[in-house]
């Protein structure tokens, strides 16, 4: 028996990267998993993979910024598996730009996917979590909500908004038995960052710099975020709500490096 046997979980942005690792981990612990992604082939591939080794999974192609599509996904998971116990609102896009350089179009898109998308996942999951007598929500924030990174104004704003939304909802739905937390990963090696490295002026220097920005001296791997997500979903986190768990290799506690005195 896995820790999540009998539970039904939904994960957005699960075709690749951190979301895929989370879906894999939840399934490995026994959950039926609903997989949503804007990449329909990727979502279907992940659902098929998971179904081969674990409980049956369900896939849907959605854009998390579209209310009707998020509603349809959540309803589809409940129709398929009969209930919903948790949602991991993970889908996000990395759109760079400083406050004075970001276009209005880019601002609107990053807010629509990263922040509105998380809210929509909560909005449509909460009635089903209530119906199940309680459940868990895990929202994907970032260390960029906690410390400043040059060149990421819109992205950082969305991640800060996710922490505020998580805290607000945690106090509102706690007595309904719904625990709501978020994760703040440091730099995790996923297709999102691989794209950033590919287009960097000096990829090797950027990689070395980002590795050195973590107290552990290295990037994280998607599975290292997935274990934290699975913990927050599980009943082992039964007294944890409203928190932002940093899975950041010590990035946010690292002060100046080199000789201190
Ligand atoms: N990789 C990191 O270093 C890092 C650090 C902190 C936080 N995060 C956050 O973790 C989450 C996952 O990041 P990742 O690195 O795995 O990214 P990724 O780009 O590798 O994967 C993101 C997934 O989300 C999907 N997606 C994108 N837009 C979507 C939309 N509108 N609707 C539905 N699905 C959509 C993509 O198709 C993809 O499968 C994001 O919210 C990101 O901001 C990542």
């Amino acid at each position: 028996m896995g820790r999540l046997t009998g539970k039904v979980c939904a994960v957005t942005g699960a075709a690749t990267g951190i979301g895929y690792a989370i879906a894999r981990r939840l399934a490995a612990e026994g959950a039926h998993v609903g997989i949503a992604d804007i990449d329909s082939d990727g979502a279907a591939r992940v659902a098929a993979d998971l179904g081969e080794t674990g409980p049956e999974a369900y896939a849907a192609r959605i854009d998390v910024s579209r209310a009707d599509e998020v509603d349809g996904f959540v309803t589809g998971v409940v129709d398929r598996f009969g209930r919903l116990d948790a949602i991991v609102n993970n889908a996000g896009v990395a759109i760079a730009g400083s406050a004075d350089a970001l276009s209005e179009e880019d601002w609107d898109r990053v807010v629509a996917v990263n922040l509105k998308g998380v809210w929509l996942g909560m909005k449509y999951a909460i009635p089903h979590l209530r119906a199940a007598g309680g459940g868990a929500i895990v929202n994907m924030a970032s260390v960029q909500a906690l410390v400043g990174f040059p060149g990421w104004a819109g992205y950082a704003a969305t991640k800060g908004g996710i922490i505020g939304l998580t805290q607000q909802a945690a106090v509102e739905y706690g007595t309904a038995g719904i625990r709501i937390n978020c994760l703040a990963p440091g730099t995790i090696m996923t297709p999102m960052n691989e794209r950033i490295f590919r287009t960097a002026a000096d990829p090797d220097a950027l990689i070395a710099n980002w590795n050195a920005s973590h107290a552990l001296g290295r990037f994280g791997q998607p599975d290292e975020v997935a274990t934290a997500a699975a913990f927050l979903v599980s009943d082992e986190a039964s007294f944890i709500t409203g928190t932002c768990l940093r899975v950041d290799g010590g990035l946010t506690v690292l002060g100046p490096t080199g000789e201190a005195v």
Side-chain angles (χ1 to χ4, degrees):
M1 282 268 286
R3 187 166 57 163
L4 303 178
T5 299
K7 294 209 189 276
V8 177
C9 305
V11 186
T12 67
T16 189
I18 294 171
Y20 173 39
I22 292 172
R24 233 179 18 231
R25 177 73 190 218
L26 299 180
E29 298 211 23
H32 284 293
V33 183
I35 286 143
D37 205 285
I38 202 163
D39 169 6
S40 54
D41 291 347
R45 199 170 45 245
V46 169
D49 280 359
L50 298 188
E52 274 185 20
T53 51
E56 185 197 355
Y58 166 84
R61 186 262 170 219
I62 67 164
D63 178 341
V64 293
S65 69
R66 296 283 308 266
D68 54 340
E69 297 182 13
V70 178
D71 187 14
F73 165 59
V74 172
T75 305
V77 173
V78 173
D79 286 349
R80 174 69 65 95
F81 300 122
R83 56 186 288 132
L84 183 71
D85 298 291
I87 186 164
V88 181
N89 293 306
N90 163 78
V93 287
I95 298 176
S98 304
D100 66 336
L102 200 60
S103 70
E104 186 176 1
E105 188 188 3
D106 280 352
W107 171 273
D108 287 346
R109 185 66 188 154
V110 75
V111 170
V113 176
N114 293 13
L115 186 54
K116 182 181 175 190
V118 166
W119 164 63
L120 289 173
M122 295 171 68
K123 174 178 171 63
Y124 291 109
I126 284 168
H128 297 290
L129 299 177
R130 274 189 193 282
I137 297 176
V138 179
N139 297 326
M140 197 57 69
S142 164
V143 289
Q144 293 208 38
L146 306 170
V147 290
F149 283 55
W152 291 95
Y155 183 84
T158 65
K159 296 305 183 180
I162 288 170
I163 295 180
L165 179 58
T166 298
Q167 293 176 170
Q168 186 284 332
V171 301
E172 190 161 355
Y173 301 102
T175 54
I178 304 173
R179 296 182 300 98
I180 306 176
N181 294 291
C182 61
L183 292 171
T187 308
I188 310 298
M189 192 48 96
T190 66
M192 178 182 278
N193 282 324
E194 286 159 14
R195 282 190 294 275
I196 292 171
F197 294 140
R198 266 200 304 277
T199 54
D202 185 346
D204 290 342
L206 186 63
I207 290 170
N209 181 19
W210 283 17
N211 273 323
S213 68
H214 300 76
L216 294 179
R218 65 168 179 87
F219 287 66
Q221 295 300 323
D223 285 340
E224 295 179 291
V225 182
T227 55
F231 166 67
L232 290 175
V233 164
S234 80
D235 293 341
E236 288 186 63
S238 56
F239 203 52
I240 301 177
T241 197
T243 197
C244 181
L245 176 57
R246 292 182 259 180
V247 187
D248 70 352
L251 182 150
T252 52
V253 296
L254 184 65
T257 52
E259 292 296 317
V261 285

